[in-house]
Amino acid sequence: MKAVLLDPDGRTIGSAGQGCVMRHPASGWAEQDPADWTRGLTAAVRQLMASHGIRPSQVTHLGLASQVDGVVAVDGKLRPLRPAIIWLDRRATDQAAALAGQLGTERIFATTGLNADASHIAPKLMWLRDNEPATFSRARSFPPVGGYLLGWLTGVLAQDHANASSTLLYDVRTGGWDDGMLQAAGIDPALLAEIRPSAQVAGTLTAEAARNSGSALTAPW
C-alpha cells in the first residue's frame, strides 16, 4: 500500500508505504487478506501526514488507484467473506476456457478487448460459484480491490470504467456491462459494483473508517 500526498496543483509533497503479504494456498493460486490493505492504507496515511505535519482537516480529497482483476466477496455489511483472489491467480482456467467455448475468442475480444483468460474477474466469479457455492450465495457483491477499499472508506460500492473493462463482462463499445458475456458467465449484474466515472466524487469518509484509521483521516472527505 502506498500513499502519496499532493498539493492543490498536483505536485508531490511526499509518499509512504506499507507491505502486504501474498499467500499461495495451492499451485497457481494467489490471495491477499483485505484487512492487510486497510491496515496498510491507514498506516501509510498516518506516517505520511505525521512526517509532513499535515492536519486531517487540510486534506480535501482522496483518490484510489489499485491492482485490477482482484475480487473480494463481501456480505451485506461489506465485510470480506474470504481472502481476495488477486490478479496473479490462475485457478479459473477451466472457467475461462468454458467462456471461450461458448462464445468464441473472436466475439469475446470484439466485445471486451480482452482474451478469455483466468486472470480476469468473470472466470474467478465462475470459479467461486462452482467451488465455493456457500460463499458465493452469501455474497452481496464482488467488488474489485479499489471498489472494496472505496466501500470500506465511504460505504459506497462502485468501480471506475478501467476496473470494469478488465472483468471480461464489459463492452468497450458501449461502456457498460454486456448482456451476452453476463449470460454466458452466469453472473447477475446486481452482484457487480456500479460503474462510475473515475473523476466523480463517490462519497464521504464514514465515521467508522475515520476511527479505524486512528483519526488520521476525518469525515467528511
Side-chain angles (χ1 to χ4, degrees):
M1 297 298 300
K2 182 179 181 180
V4 180
L5 182 65
L6 307 175
D7 71 11
D9 294 320
R11 292 186 294 260
T12 299
I13 297 174
S15 64
Q18 295 285 323
C20 292
V21 175
M22 183 163 54
R23 299 174 179 85
H24 305 279
S27 178
W29 294 22
E31 299 182 345
Q32 287 181 310
D33 183 350
D36 286 346
W37 303 337
T38 56
R39 283 192 296 264
L41 174 62
T42 55
V45 167
R46 285 196 300 266
Q47 177 185 342
L48 182 57
M49 295 177 70
S51 63
H52 290 276
I54 301 296
R55 299 187 305 277
S57 60
Q58 292 178 273
V59 181
T60 60
H61 296 79
L62 174 65
L64 294 170
S66 68
Q67 55 168 295
V68 297
D69 289 332
V71 62
V72 187
V74 297
D75 67 12
K77 295 184 178 180
L78 308 188
R79 297 173 300 198
L81 296 173
R82 69 174 322 283
I85 302 175
I86 65 170
W87 65 274
L88 191 61
D89 194 281
R90 304 296 303 169
R91 74 185 71 185
T93 53
D94 289 345
Q95 286 74 19
L99 276 179
Q102 286 187 68
L103 298 176
T105 56
E106 291 186 4
R107 176 182 172 184
I108 290 173
F109 186 82
T111 301
T112 68
L114 303 171
N115 294 318
D117 187 84
S119 62
H120 300 301
I121 284 180
K124 291 171 180 172
L125 296 183
M126 295 166 68
W127 186 93
L128 282 169
R129 183 193 61 217
D130 296 344
N131 293 276
E132 298 183 8
T135 297
F136 190 89
S137 64
R138 287 180 58 202
R140 168 193 165 186
S141 185
F142 296 92
V145 177
Y148 168 75
L149 287 169
L150 177 67
W152 179 78
L153 288 165
T154 68
V156 175
L157 278 179
Q159 61 185 312
D160 65 5
H161 287 270
N163 276 275
S165 71
S166 199
T167 59
L168 209 61
L169 299 168
Y170 178 94
D171 190 331
V172 294
R173 301 162 298 188
T174 65
W177 304 123
D178 180 74
D179 289 339
M181 294 301 304
L182 289 165
Q183 183 175 359
I187 301 300
D188 183 347
L191 294 173
L192 304 173
E194 178 187 357
I195 305 171
R196 297 190 184 186
S198 59
Q200 183 182 89
V201 176
T204 57
L205 192 68
T206 67
E208 182 179 2
R211 286 194 303 270
N212 288 339
S213 67
S215 300
L217 311 173
T218 56
W221 267 23

